Amino acid sequence: MAGVGYALNGVALDSRYCRVTLGSTLFAGVSVSRSKVSAPFRHGTIPSGVTPTFGERSATLKVAAFGAGAIGHDTGHGMDSSRLARLCTTPYPVLSRTVNGQLQQAVVELASLEADDGGTVLDRLTPFTAVFAMPQVWWRDPVAYDRPVAANGTAFLWPAACRWAQPYWTRWEVEPNNSTSLLADFVTMWIGEPNNSPSLLIPLSSGIPDGMFGDAPVTDPIIRLPKGVSSASVTDPTSNTGVIWQGAANANAYTYVDVGNCLAWQSTADHQWTQSGTDVTGGLDYPAGGLLQCWPNPVDNGYRLTSKITGSGEPLLVHVRRAWW
């Protein structure tokens, strides 16, 4: 697969003397837990209406180490099998892949590491297979962004994939009002909070590619509710999951809802993404569809959230990392 490279604990696995061939890393295996219900005169399953749940996934690396240092400790060959074995057995391995320039990572656990039968030629080639469990299921962006979401309506968390049919604004080539004008061939947008995050420049010719902002469900956002809010409901219109908070309004503090850890706290700090301040977890609840999972819309790949809050009309701020299959 072009444009994909792998690393373990930040050390590249693809080098002059080491190669990774794509096994299940191309698309790590998925098994879905389903609720099966039997009923008279009915065959198969009865849909429960609950969002699918995914068990632990696994990623398989098929690695071949080349050269005289493949089985020994020849440091001139960098990524020999001994060094790679040490990386695989570190206490807290982090597997990462770079897909067309985008770094994606997963905290993993080593499940097995073994040499492949029939392929080893001492001092020339040592192929083996490493299998890692992915307890958190999805590949994740190592960076979290703070995304504003309008209150009391449905708004994008991450924008949908789109294409622009033609350029629709112009820019000066040189001196304003005194030079040839050019049709602009790009648009820009904030990737996080306006005026407080990196911006993106997106060519008009390509638009927003499908999967640019992720293509897997986001299960652990931290939501900052505006000051003075006494109740809030945030739901995902794609999966019908959500999170609810209700409690005493505080005009001087934000309320933070940590979906992944089922925690809530109030703090006067405007970017307090770890628990601190006053614990208000007792006000947490979720609807019948289950705890919030923000899924991409299957048609346009956009991530949306629907919110309803009392006590304020200010936007919500969502601390979130992109997720990929």
Side-chain angles (χ1 to χ4, degrees):
M1 183 177 180
V4 180
Y6 289 87
L8 191 60
N9 285 1
V11 179
L13 299 182
D14 292 291
S15 68
R16 180 179 175 185
Y17 298 106
C18 186
R19 287 291 182 269
V20 175
T21 59
L22 290 173
S24 67
T25 51
L26 176 62
F27 195 92
V30 172
S31 60
V32 180
S33 301
R34 297 184 301 148
S35 297
K36 294 187 229 181
V37 180
S38 298
F41 313 111
R42 174 121 185 201
H43 299 282
T45 62
I46 298 177
S48 63
V50 176
T51 301
T53 57
F54 296 87
E56 182 179 273
R57 300 168 78 192
S58 64
T60 301
L61 295 184
K62 293 186 175 295
V63 182
F66 303 93
I71 197 67
H73 301 280
D74 182 353
T75 56
H77 288 197
M79 187 55 68
D80 58 20
S81 58
S82 300
R83 185 180 179 195
L84 186 53
R86 294 197 302 272
L87 282 172
C88 290
T89 54
T90 53
Y92 304 104
V94 176
L95 185 64
S96 60
R97 65 182 187 182
T98 302
V99 181
N100 296 325
Q102 172 61 55
L103 181 63
Q104 305 171 5
Q105 67 181 27
V107 177
V108 296
E109 298 172 7
L110 181 66
S112 66
L113 175 65
E114 59 184 20
D116 294 343
D117 291 336
T120 300
V121 180
L122 290 179
D123 292 334
R124 292 186 182 180
L125 175 67
T126 306
F128 57 95
T129 300
V131 180
F132 294 94
M134 295 174 60
Q136 295 180 331
V137 183
W138 313 112
W139 295 94
R140 307 299 302 281
D141 191 332
V143 178
Y145 296 98
D146 302 333
R147 297 283 299 169
V149 174
N152 297 314
T154 299
F156 280 109
L157 176 63
W158 291 114
C162 68
R163 300 287 187 271
W164 289 281
Q166 62 182 23
Y168 54 86
W169 56 288
T170 61
R171 60 188 175 91
W172 304 113
E173 183 180 28
V174 188
E175 185 182 356
N177 297 312
N178 192 29
S179 69
T180 303
S181 62
L182 301 175
L183 283 175
D185 55 359
F186 62 89
V187 295
T188 61
M189 61 170 288
W190 303 112
I191 193 170
E193 195 174 2
N195 299 314
N196 193 30
S197 74
S199 59
L200 292 176
L201 189 151
I202 304 171
L204 287 173
S205 58
S206 58
I208 299 176
D210 194 70
M212 178 178 183
F213 295 106
D215 54 19
V218 175
T219 59
D220 59 354
I222 302 175
I223 303 169
R224 190 192 75 184
L225 305 176
K227 294 178 180 179
V229 167
S230 58
S231 68
S233 171
V234 182
T235 57
D236 169 35
T238 299
S239 65
N240 293 318
T241 59
V243 66
I244 300 167
W245 180 84
Q246 187 170 2
N250 189 331
N252 300 312
Y254 298 97
T255 300
Y256 292 84
V257 176
D258 183 342
V259 175
N261 294 305
C262 292
L263 295 172
W265 60 91
Q266 289 182 335
S267 173
T268 56
D270 58 0
H271 289 79
Q272 186 60 55
W273 303 118
T274 56
Q275 188 178 23
S276 181
T278 303
D279 184 273
V280 291
T281 303
L284 276 182
D285 200 354
Y286 53 87
L291 188 61
L292 179 64
Q293 299 180 21
C294 189
W295 284 65
N297 182 284
V299 176
D300 64 15
N301 202 63
Y303 291 75
R304 297 169 175 86
L305 289 175
T306 300
S307 65
K308 183 178 181 181
I309 64 177
T310 56
S312 176
E314 294 295 316
L316 294 70
L317 194 64
V318 183
H319 188 71
V320 63
R321 292 191 295 154
R322 292 178 287 180
W324 292 272
W325 282 82

